[in-house]
């Protein structure tokens, strides 16, 4: 089993009102969570990225996050206070350039002695693009085309140094990038930084099968996980890759209690904190695409149709057909007698493992044994102490059963993940 820690504060799963919550910017928060993850022998520490403050109805969406430092800068600092933990940065392939980003990632890989990873994301919205010279020029259909060539170009740059430390000129001439010169950073300790892809769409799955080492996904049930796992692993052969060459790691939440009943009660309280009455309305507005402030969050769902192609929310991707989502929400609310707020709680919960330490350990192991995942990226609800219960109470049980490592056996992130060092293609 592979485990990673997602630093909270990116989405509204973080409970800022909890007195234990601390800053999402102070370095001490990053250091504490990273040290906890390394104490638990986690594979890597994962930072999300944001290129613009998200807005809702013309205002900064303060229930999400109102500030986030640049990922690679934070991870370079964390390299100095950790020894084995992988360090994964989310960096956008739309609003960066291959030479610059390949250099920054190779630098992190050297400073960390081979622990760097790049989570490749894309953007097509003009709202985010306003912060950049190119603006929102990239059509949504082209975002993975650019990303695929971006990753391939970065790998050419990393391969422009031989394993024995000799620099060679590089030249790339493609539809997205035409560059040539000499790369300034020698080949890094693990050959190439690990490449992560986040996405569940068909194009995202294909991109991961062709170019990624890890795919960060989400699926709500064991059955859905098994279907996703089988689909993505089956795509690898077309690219000459083996099933073990791509690790599938869904993002999950974990709530641990002394008993299963206590954990369920604790989880319900967390969800009520995450989905306040105000947040329930804001979440529904993202689906309906219109102002719903006149509706009671503890009353029924709005009786109006959603507005297609609404721009009420800026900087956040709308997932799926709003008419289909509204229909599903109405069916769930009617079947279970739920209010608007209760429906939001019911439908927006990330895949969760809830129970006593032994129950959680058994369920995580079952997901891996039944080929629904190769591991998990844990998304805690508290910054920065949200992993403490898991590391102190669940990890020892996973180690006792042999499902998870008791000690690191290698020094690089590739060794933690069981990935081969990439073959040099100079």
């Amino acid at each position: 089993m592979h485990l990673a820690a997602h630093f909270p504060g990116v989405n509204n799963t973080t409970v800022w009102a909890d007195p234990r919550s601390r800053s999402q910017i102070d370095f001490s928060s990053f250091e504490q969570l990273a040290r906890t993850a390394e104490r638990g022998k986690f594979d890597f520490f994962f930072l999300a990225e944001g290129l613009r403050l998200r807005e809702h109805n013309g205002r900064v969406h303060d229930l999400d996050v109102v500030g986030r430092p640049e990922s690679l800068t934070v991870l370079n600092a964390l390299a100095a206070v950790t020894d084995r933990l992988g360090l994964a940065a989310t960096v956008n392939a739309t609003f960066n350039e291959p030479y610059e980003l390949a250099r920054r990632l190779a630098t992190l890989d050297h400073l960390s002695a081979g622990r760097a990873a790049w989570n490749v994301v894309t953007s097509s919205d003009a709202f985010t693009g306003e912060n950049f010279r190119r603006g929102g020029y990239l059509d949504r259909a082209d975002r993975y085309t650019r990303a695929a060539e971006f990753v391939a170009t970065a790998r050419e740059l990393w391969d422009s140094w031989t394993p024995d430390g000799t620099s060679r000129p590089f030249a790339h001439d493609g539809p997205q990038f035409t560059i040539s010169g000499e790369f300034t950073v020698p080949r890094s300790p693990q050959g190439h930084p690990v490449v992560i892809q986040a996405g569940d769409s068909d194009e995202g799955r294909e991109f991961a099968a062709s170019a990624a080492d890890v795919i960060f996904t989400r699926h709500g049930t064991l059955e859905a996980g098994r279907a996703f796992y089988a689909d993505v692993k089956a795509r690898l052969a077309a690219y000459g890759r083996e099933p073990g060459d791509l690790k599938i790691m869904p993002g999950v939440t974990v709530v641990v209690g002394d008993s299963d009943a206590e954990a369920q009660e604790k989880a319900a309280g967390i969800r009520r904190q995450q989905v306040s009455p105000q947040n329930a309305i804001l979440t529904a507005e993202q689906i309906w695409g219109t102002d719903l402030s006149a509706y009671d969050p503890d009353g029924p769902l709005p009786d109006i149709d959603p507005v297609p192609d609404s721009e009420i929310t800026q900087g956040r991707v709308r997932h799926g057909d709003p008419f289909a989502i509204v229909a599903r929400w109405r069916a769930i609310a009617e079947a279970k007698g739920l209010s608007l707020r209760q429906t939001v709680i019911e439908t927006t919960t990330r895949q969760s493992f809830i129970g006593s330490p032994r129950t959680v350990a058994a369920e995580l192991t079952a997901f891996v044994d039944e080929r629904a995942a190769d591991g998990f990226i844990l998304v805690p609800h508290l910054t920065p102490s949200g992993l403490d219960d898991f590391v102190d109470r669940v990890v020892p049980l996973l180690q006792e059963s042999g499902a998870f490592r008791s000690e690191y056996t290698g020094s690089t992130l590739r060794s933690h993940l069981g990935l081969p060092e990439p073959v040099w293609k100079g």
Side-chain angles (χ1 to χ4, degrees):
M1 182 185 303
H2 300 285
L3 294 174
H6 186 291
F7 184 81
V10 175
N11 295 310
N12 54 17
T13 52
T14 308
V15 179
W16 295 112
D18 191 296
R20 294 169 294 175
S21 262
R22 287 169 36 201
S23 173
Q24 83 278 16
I25 293 179
D26 287 350
F27 182 68
S28 60
S29 291
F30 296 103
E31 182 179 8
Q32 180 176 334
L33 192 75
R35 287 186 182 275
T36 302
E38 188 163 72
R39 177 164 58 84
K41 314 302 178 187
F42 278 39
D43 293 65
F44 61 90
F45 176 93
F46 182 92
L47 280 179
E49 180 68 291
L51 297 179
R52 182 164 180 175
L53 295 181
R54 294 162 175 165
E55 293 183 8
H56 183 85
N57 213 10
R59 296 185 297 177
V60 172
H61 188 203
D62 60 350
L63 287 176
D64 186 350
V65 67
V66 295
R68 197 180 318 158
E70 195 274 325
S71 298
L72 280 167
T73 305
V74 174
L75 295 181
N76 277 302
L78 287 177
V81 296
T82 56
D83 294 317
R84 298 292 185 90
L85 184 69
L87 303 168
T90 301
V91 187
N92 196 296
T94 304
F95 299 114
N96 282 284
E97 297 297 327
Y99 182 90
E100 177 196 19
L101 182 54
R103 187 167 178 254
R104 291 161 62 202
L105 286 163
T107 300
L108 174 61
D109 211 35
H110 276 283
L111 292 178
S112 64
R115 296 184 280 137
W118 170 26
N119 178 40
V120 184
V121 295
T122 63
S123 178
S124 62
D125 65 285
F127 175 77
T128 298
E130 288 174 358
N131 278 346
F132 298 88
R133 176 176 58 84
R134 290 190 306 273
Y137 80 100
L138 192 66
D139 289 338
R140 183 174 178 81
D142 294 333
R143 59 192 183 124
Y144 279 116
T145 301
R146 178 182 170 91
E149 188 175 335
F150 196 123
V151 172
T153 306
R155 285 177 167 151
E156 290 174 25
L157 294 168
W158 294 327
D159 277 342
S160 67
W161 282 73
T162 67
D164 64 4
T166 302
S167 173
R168 297 186 177 185
F170 69 83
H172 176 93
D173 186 6
Q176 299 290 326
F177 310 105
T178 299
I179 58 175
S180 62
E182 291 189 358
F183 195 54
T184 61
V185 185
R187 190 171 177 84
S188 61
Q190 57 179 348
H192 298 168
V194 169
V195 172
I196 304 170
Q197 152 67 12
D200 283 351
S201 67
D202 185 73
E203 58 187 355
R205 297 181 191 201
E206 199 66 25
F207 177 58
S210 68
D213 301 304
V214 177
I215 183 166
F216 178 21
T217 182
R218 64 175 68 198
H219 40 69
T221 65
L222 179 65
E223 293 74 20
R226 292 180 67 183
F228 180 89
Y229 189 97
D231 176 72
V232 173
K233 295 282 188 176
R235 297 174 188 240
L236 292 166
Y239 300 98
R241 307 181 69 195
E242 299 294 327
D245 292 344
L246 175 65
K247 306 301 180 184
I248 296 176
M249 300 180 67
V252 301
T253 60
V254 175
V255 180
V256 181
D258 290 338
S259 66
D260 290 353
E262 179 187 281
Q264 290 290 345
E265 183 178 351
K266 185 177 176 182
I270 292 169
R271 289 299 293 147
R272 287 193 296 271
Q273 289 179 295
Q274 291 169 329
V275 185
S276 65
Q278 179 191 7
N279 201 13
I281 292 294
L282 290 175
T283 303
E285 287 178 342
Q286 292 171 8
I287 304 300
W288 265 267
T290 190
D291 187 339
L292 299 176
S293 58
Y295 287 85
D296 180 2
D298 294 317
L301 271 62
D303 55 359
I304 58 175
D305 289 334
V307 178
D309 302 320
S310 168
E311 295 185 356
I312 191 171
T313 297
Q314 298 278 13
R316 180 188 293 275
V317 177
R318 294 182 73 181
H319 295 284
D321 175 11
F323 289 91
I325 295 173
V326 167
R328 180 169 62 88
W329 280 25
R330 285 175 173 156
I332 291 171
E334 182 177 354
K336 298 186 176 183
L338 303 179
S339 68
L340 172 57
R341 183 185 179 196
Q342 290 169 330
T343 303
V344 173
I345 291 173
E346 178 81 11
T347 57
T348 60
T349 300
R350 193 185 294 268
Q351 167 63 51
S352 297
F353 294 91
I354 301 168
S356 69
R358 197 160 297 279
T359 294
V360 170
E363 291 182 351
L364 290 170
T365 303
F367 259 68
V368 174
D369 288 347
E370 297 191 35
R371 297 185 178 182
D374 293 311
F376 308 92
I377 298 178
L378 274 65
V379 185
H381 73 283
L382 288 178
T383 305
S385 60
L387 283 181
D388 292 358
D389 278 352
F390 184 86
V391 168
D392 293 337
R393 306 182 68 185
V394 178
V395 166
L397 297 177
L398 294 172
Q399 293 169 331
E400 180 183 296
S401 70
F404 187 62
R405 67 173 66 90
S406 295
E407 294 293 341
Y408 291 111
T409 57
S411 60
T412 69
L413 178 52
R414 287 188 178 276
S415 67
H416 302 342
L417 291 168
L419 295 170
E421 183 173 322
V423 176
W424 180 64
K425 299 178 180 179

